[in-house]
């Protein structure tokens, strides 16, 4: 009785198919189109559920608009067409937005 590598390989493949078939048979079915997140009803959660952002990211247009606003303020300041007080007020508003935006958005997400 000689050792035959083909029989050994076939046994491993069949064993793997049996194990994978058993896993597939026990996974719960989720209705299509419904994002319920990870299904934690069994021992193995469903990690294939699509995940969506809680809030939208700033668009390129919004970023360009804010950048243009800041550049415009700097240009107006250099040209002397805006007072120092107006410049500081506008910059304070933008800095406040930068400092508080993350916390404000997190509050919106949690509520």
């Amino acid at each position: 009785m000689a050792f035959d590598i083909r029989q050994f390989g076939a046994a491993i493949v069949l064993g793997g198919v049996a194990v994978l078939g058993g896993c597939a048979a026990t996974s719960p079915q989720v209705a299509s189109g419904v994002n319920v997140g990870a299904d934690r009803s069994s021992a193995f959660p469903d990690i294939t559920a699509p995940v969506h952002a809680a809030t939208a990211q700033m668009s390129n247009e919004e970023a360009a608009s804010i950048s243009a606003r800041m550049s415009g303020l700097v240009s107006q300041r250099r040209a002397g067409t805006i007072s120092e007080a107006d410049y500081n007020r506008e910059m304070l508003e933008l800095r406040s937005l930068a400092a508080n935006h993350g916390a404000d958005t997190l509050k919106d997400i949690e509520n």
Side-chain angles (χ1 to χ4, degrees), residues 21-103:
C23 289
T26 60
S27 63
Q29 297 296 321
V30 178
S32 64
V34 177
N35 182 11
V36 295
D39 179 16
R40 301 192 191 289
S41 63
S42 64
F44 300 104
D46 176 15
I47 59 172
T48 62
V51 179
H52 302 287
T55 186
Q57 184 174 350
M58 177 189 295
S59 70
N60 291 337
E61 292 80 20
E62 289 174 306
S65 171
I66 292 172
S67 179
R69 182 176 170 196
M70 291 184 75
S71 296
L73 282 173
V74 170
S75 297
Q76 289 175 343
R77 183 179 186 200
R78 285 185 185 148
T81 58
I82 189 172
S83 71
E84 190 69 24
D86 287 339
Y87 171 79
N88 288 332
R89 181 182 52 76
E90 292 282 334
M91 288 305 291
L92 181 63
E93 181 182 331
L94 290 171
R95 288 185 183 121
S96 174
L97 176 65
N100 299 322
H101 177 69

